[in-house]
Amino acid sequence: GDFACRERLDHRKEQYDLSAGFYVDRESLLTGRTSKVLIRPSLRLNGVDVTLSVLKDIKLEIASTDRDGVSTTDTVADFKLFEDRESVHEFKVPRRLSRISFVLKARVENISQAKKQDLAAGDSFGLNAIDQSDKVEDLHFVHAGGAFALELLGRNGEPRADRPVQFVFK
């Protein structure tokens, strides 16, 4: 009717944020074998979860670097994402792998700016770092027979019984 009341409206800028959790079983990263990466994405608009169905041009980039510093990249186009479970991608493990990175890329229509916005989320995993060092042994945490122990093993997993391990608690 003829009554109006002034009210404050906090109109925030349309801001999307893509994040994702990446999981690779390190024990499966054996040269020449097939491994899997599990990806659980989350899309937020101004801090509020929104559906993944607004994402377009979704792709997964896998970058691997070998011990000589040579990098290769593989792109998986039309990568499928799910609201209720992880997305899984199988890949062949390259030779002499020292680092592997995963980047999930997508685009979303940003209506307030009248343009498409590029989004990305990624993670990286280092492997076999002992092969790039002068170290010939390392400590490994072991769970066996219901007990936990530390083992001193050589580069190839051989026991190093000749070296005592000493613990100092402070």
Side-chain angles (χ1 to χ4, degrees):
D2 59 355
F3 179 76
C5 182
R6 193 168 84 159
E7 191 66 36
R8 179 172 177 82
L9 173 66
D10 183 23
H11 185 68
R12 298 192 320 182
K13 182 172 98 174
E14 187 176 1
Q15 187 169 343
Y16 289 93
D17 178 46
L18 177 65
S19 61
F22 295 83
Y23 175 77
V24 177
D25 181 12
R26 288 180 182 268
E27 300 296 320
S28 72
L29 293 173
L30 300 172
T31 298
R33 300 245 178 109
T34 300
S35 185
K36 295 178 184 177
V37 57
L38 281 69
I39 304 165
R40 185 66 181 231
S42 171
L43 180 64
R44 292 177 172 255
L45 171 59
N46 295 337
V48 178
D49 287 328
V50 294
T51 180
L52 298 171
S53 65
V54 299
L55 295 175
K56 305 295 180 212
D57 304 326
I58 303 166
K59 60 185 169 184
L60 174 65
E61 289 184 357
I62 304 170
S64 60
T65 306
D66 68 13
R67 284 184 237 157
D68 300 317
V70 178
S71 295
T72 57
T73 302
D74 185 27
T75 301
V76 181
D78 296 325
F79 190 69
K80 302 293 181 227
L81 300 178
F82 305 98
E83 304 278 350
D84 60 343
R85 65 186 186 274
E86 291 80 14
S87 297
V88 179
H89 178 70
E90 289 188 356
F91 62 96
K92 189 170 180 177
V93 180
R95 292 184 55 229
R96 301 170 43 86
L97 184 64
S98 69
R99 177 162 292 288
I100 190 158
S101 302
F102 302 94
V103 179
L104 181 64
K105 293 184 174 183
R107 300 182 91 192
V108 67
E109 184 70 35
N110 190 315
I111 297 169
S112 68
Q113 296 179 12
K115 66 177 186 177
K116 293 204 182 275
Q117 180 181 345
D118 292 324
L119 302 171
D123 204 352
S124 182
F125 303 92
L127 300 118
N128 303 320
I130 195 170
D131 293 336
Q132 298 172 3
S133 72
D134 294 336
K135 290 176 60 176
V136 294
E137 59 198 14
D138 204 359
L139 289 171
H140 295 268
F141 196 57
V142 179
H143 180 251
F148 294 94
L150 276 178
E151 290 183 337
L152 182 63
L153 301 177
R155 238 182 221 189
N156 297 318
E158 73 276 9
R160 303 294 297 245
D162 59 327
R163 299 268 319 274
V165 178
Q166 180 180 3
F167 296 96
V168 178
F169 295 98
K170 292 184 179 187

